[in-house]
Amino acid sequence: DSHIQYERVGADVTMKCGSMDWDAAVTWTANGTDIDESHLNGSYLILKNVDLTQSGQYSCYEGSSWHLKYQTYLRVGTPPKEPVLMCRSNNYPKGFYCSWHLPTPTYIPNSFNISVIHGTKEMVCEKDVFPKNRCHIRYLQLFSTVKYKVTLTVTNALGKTSTTLTFDEFAIVKPDPPESVVAKPVPNNPRRLEVSWQNPSSWPDPESFPLKFFLRYRPLILDQWQHVELSDGTSHTITDAYAGKEYIIQVAAKDNDIGTWSDWSVAVHATPWTEEPKHLTTEAQVTETTSASTSSFMPPPTTKICDKGAVVGSGAVAVCWTAGLVLAAYGALFI
Amino acid sequence: MAAADSPSATLQRRDLCSRGIRLAGKMRSDVIDLLDTYVERQGLDASASVAAVEGVPVAAAERWDEQTGTQRLLENLAAYRAFRALLAQMLEEQREQLGEADAVLGQALAAVLLQVSAFAYHLEELLRLESRGTPSEEGAGPPPPPHLGLFERKLRGLGVLRELAQWAVRSARDLRQLAKPSPASSLAPSPAESP
């Protein structure tokens, strides 16, 4: 006769050997290892102030016959603490999703129940297969002033807790960051960098629900960002870059009318075009493979030192070491 | 429908839509500022829940994406005409209640009222462009104001402004749908055109 028993960390646990009398001779094992008699009170097993390491299979055998009389799986854990819940619409106006997690683990299985109420209407939040602690919901109405109320209840064998979030339709709109950000130098323009990007693919209808963008950039050597807000278009030319300096650039997106800014996109790096320094002979230090042979003329940053002469970041950040040491020195002449 | 389909009509429509979108954006921004002023001057709690107010056009729409262009224009026009009357009432009440003492709120209300009127006119232009007569304004005017106590009137005003702010966002979206060159933006379903 085997079952699972849940107990709180720190509790005192008493296990009976099934229907055996108190004064019966028994042997208890924990995960196959005999338990010392000092833990027994008659045939009862006493575990005081249990901790997580005491989780396991406990078995009780009749003294002489070694018949298995009782078996249980002890799971030591905690009741759930108030969960952290967040809801967001990154695919407006289709719908929104809510995701949650527990601030501390319980070490035992938990079940989650989520309810979404809009005014008097109860809506169904469909649980995602992956990740597990997430569900999504389709908007049945748009432009409503009625708030949404989302309640998450977490239950396990040792307790129950819940949390509620109340919000407006517009307040939770936050797009994903822009994708495929590309920054390129502009030939013959030592102070320009051309930046382009794409709408996040999760945003379903950028034509009807256009996004606006926020670009930030700075040379690596400085801490202060420059900012540009762009109300349309998915490209921008920086015209005040410091010649020869490597820049870090990021873009964020926001619905034109509602909601909040996305997180920043993956950062891309680029260095403005510089003229070939004819009087310098050098060897470039590169981390990317290069097909350029060393010569007395260092190629401008558009060449193959980095893939395609441009730095693309949409899943990885590629840091390019151009003939940077030389160019930086050369560029410093213009600062 | 021939007139509506001509290139110049399409351009005119797109131009009217762009201007309308800008008007709606400015209006929304001003309504949000007005909401802050209103809440402050009327001594209200900004997060107060207001039940659906009778006579206030509700911006919430089901199946919004399936609406035809004509439906969009007509619903918008009906809404802004109603807001025009409601804001005029609010202005009147505010003057009675506070006299000329609160010029700031009065001016802000009047400015938004002007924009609402202008937007309603703009919508009428769009409907005229599509050779659609603009519906006559029903009745002799707004419904008589309900007999509400001062506090109820203040809450009602809050409800009106909140709903207007939603409408301003919706209108910009509606006009963007209208401005789309696809058949979906055509102002009447045309079975002959459908694939």
Side-chain angles (χ1 to χ4, degrees):
Chain A
D1 157 24
S2 174
H3 62 82
I4 300 177
Q5 186 173 344
Y6 295 99
E7 301 288 346
R8 282 186 193 223
V9 169
D12 294 338
V13 180
T14 301
M15 288 188 200
K16 287 191 189 177
C17 187
S19 54
M20 300 289 282
D21 292 333
W22 176 81
D23 55 0
V26 298
T27 306
W28 281 92
T29 64
N31 296 326
T33 308
D34 285 12
I35 298 175
D36 187 75
E37 276 183 11
S38 60
H39 293 281
L40 300 187
N41 175 358
S43 65
Y44 296 175
L45 174 64
I46 313 291
L47 301 171
K48 285 201 175 291
N49 190 24
V50 291
D51 63 40
L52 296 170
T53 62
Q54 288 172 289
S55 293
Q57 190 174 67
Y58 290 80
S59 311
C60 178
Y61 300 90
E62 189 177 11
S64 48
S65 66
W66 273 93
H67 283 146
L68 177 66
K69 286 297 181 184
Y70 178 75
Q71 196 168 64
T72 187
Y73 202 94
L74 177 67
R75 304 254 342 230
V76 181
T78 61
K81 290 212 166 99
E82 188 177 330
V84 177
L85 173 66
M86 79 88 138
C87 297
R88 182 180 153 215
S89 174
N90 64 341
N91 62 344
Y92 190 80
K94 281 210 174 132
F96 63 92
Y97 72 85
C98 294
S99 70
W100 56 88
H101 66 270
L102 289 171
T104 51
T106 61
Y107 304 99
I108 60 176
N110 305 297
S111 69
F112 299 89
N113 183 47
I114 192 156
S115 87
V116 180
I117 296 176
H118 185 219
T120 52
K121 201 167 183 175
E122 173 122 27
M123 299 171 79
V124 175
C125 198
E126 312 237 4
K127 289 222 175 137
D128 288 351
V129 172
F130 186 80
K132 271 189 341 183
N133 291 357
R134 198 158 119 159
C135 68
H136 61 271
I137 197 159
R138 289 193 142 261
Y139 280 123
L140 297 175
Q141 266 189 353
L142 291 179
F143 314 111
S144 174
T145 47
V146 175
K147 289 186 194 283
Y148 289 82
K149 186 170 154 181
V150 180
T151 303
L152 174 71
T153 306
V154 188
T155 310
N156 70 19
L158 301 175
K160 185 170 164 173
T161 181
S162 67
T163 190
T164 298
L165 213 58
T166 306
F167 53 83
D168 290 317
E169 176 187 317
F170 292 172
I172 59 164
V173 176
K174 178 180 171 179
D176 287 328
E179 295 174 4
S180 308
V181 184
V182 176
K184 286 196 278 203
V186 179
N188 302 306
N189 276 285
R191 301 205 64 191
R192 289 186 177 220
L193 286 168
E194 227 167 57
V195 189
S196 66
W197 57 90
Q198 282 171 20
N199 288 314
S201 49
S202 51
W203 196 253
D205 188 1
E207 213 185 316
S208 306
F209 295 83
L211 295 171
K212 60 182 176 184
F213 301 97
F214 213 79
L215 193 92
R216 70 175 185 179
Y217 58 96
R218 64 173 173 85
L220 284 185
I221 54 173
L222 294 179
D223 287 332
Q224 189 125 27
W225 293 95
Q226 299 277 84
H227 293 105
V228 182
E229 185 167 330
L230 302 154
S231 56
D232 56 20
T234 52
S235 64
H236 176 73
T237 303
I238 295 166
T239 55
D240 61 351
Y242 291 122
K245 297 283 187 262
E246 186 178 350
Y247 271 76
I248 179 168
I249 299 147
Q250 286 177 297
V251 192
K254 181 184 166 304
D255 176 88
N256 212 52
D257 302 315
I258 64 175
T260 58
W261 288 98
S262 71
D263 292 340
W264 290 107
S265 69
V266 174
V268 296
H269 292 234
T271 307
W273 175 92
T274 49
E275 204 175 326
E276 299 173 8
K278 297 183 174 64
H279 58 285
L280 292 166
T281 309
T282 181
E283 280 165 351
Q285 182 181 1
V286 296
T287 55
E288 303 286 337
T289 55
T290 175
S291 57
S293 53
T294 48
S295 69
S296 54
F297 293 99
M298 298 320 300
T302 45
T303 61
K304 304 166 221 135
I305 292 172
C306 308
D307 280 352
K308 304 176 207 165
V311 188
V312 179
S314 68
V317 174
V319 178
C320 287
W321 289 86
T322 62
L325 297 169
V326 171
L327 292 174
Y330 190 67
L333 293 173
F334 291 101
I335 302 298
Chain B
M1 280 300 289
D5 290 351
S6 72
S8 69
T10 308
L11 277 170
Q12 256 190 293
R13 188 209 298 161
R14 260 197 262 158
D15 178 55
L16 276 172
C17 285
S18 305
R19 280 197 279 137
I21 290 166
R22 282 196 295 277
L23 276 173
K26 170 85 173 74
M27 186 163 52
R28 186 199 178 204
S29 164
D30 287 355
V31 170
I32 287 176
D33 289 344
L34 172 57
L35 260 166
D36 287 340
T37 307
Y38 188 84
V39 158
E40 192 199 316
R41 299 290 176 161
Q42 302 287 40
L44 295 169
D45 176 1
S47 61
S49 268
V50 182
V53 187
E54 201 191 311
V56 177
V58 170
E62 293 188 11
R63 299 201 171 90
W64 172 86
D65 51 335
E66 293 171 18
Q67 286 192 337
T68 63
T70 306
Q71 276 176 293
R72 293 180 195 284
L73 283 174
L74 291 172
E75 280 188 31
N76 271 266
L77 182 58
Y80 286 95
R81 281 177 172 172
F83 280 117
R84 189 168 55 198
L86 287 162
L87 286 171
Q89 253 174 32
M90 280 173 68
L91 197 53
E92 190 63 39
E93 283 167 5
Q94 190 258 345
R95 281 182 184 144
E96 277 171 16
Q97 178 201 327
L98 296 164
E100 293 303 316
D102 195 343
V104 172
L105 181 54
Q107 273 168 19
L109 269 167
V112 167
L113 173 54
L114 199 60
Q115 289 184 63
V116 165
S117 302
F119 196 73
Y121 181 74
H122 201 83
L123 292 166
E124 286 169 5
E125 287 268 289
L126 268 161
L127 275 163
R128 263 191 286 273
L129 179 66
E130 306 306 322
S131 310
R132 305 222 163 249
T134 53
S136 63
E137 306 209 35
E138 286 166 17
H147 292 288
L148 297 173
L150 179 60
F151 186 66
E152 279 82 8
R153 267 189 273 145
K154 288 181 183 182
L155 280 184
R156 183 181 157 83
L158 185 61
V160 168
L161 294 178
R162 278 188 185 155
E163 212 59 51
L164 179 57
Q166 298 294 98
W167 265 105
V169 175
R170 176 175 161 179
S171 301
R173 314 284 198 194
D174 279 321
L175 292 176
R176 280 197 198 102
Q177 291 291 88
L178 263 169
K180 273 181 173 174
S182 67
S185 72
S186 66
L187 292 204
S190 319
E193 283 174 19
S194 51

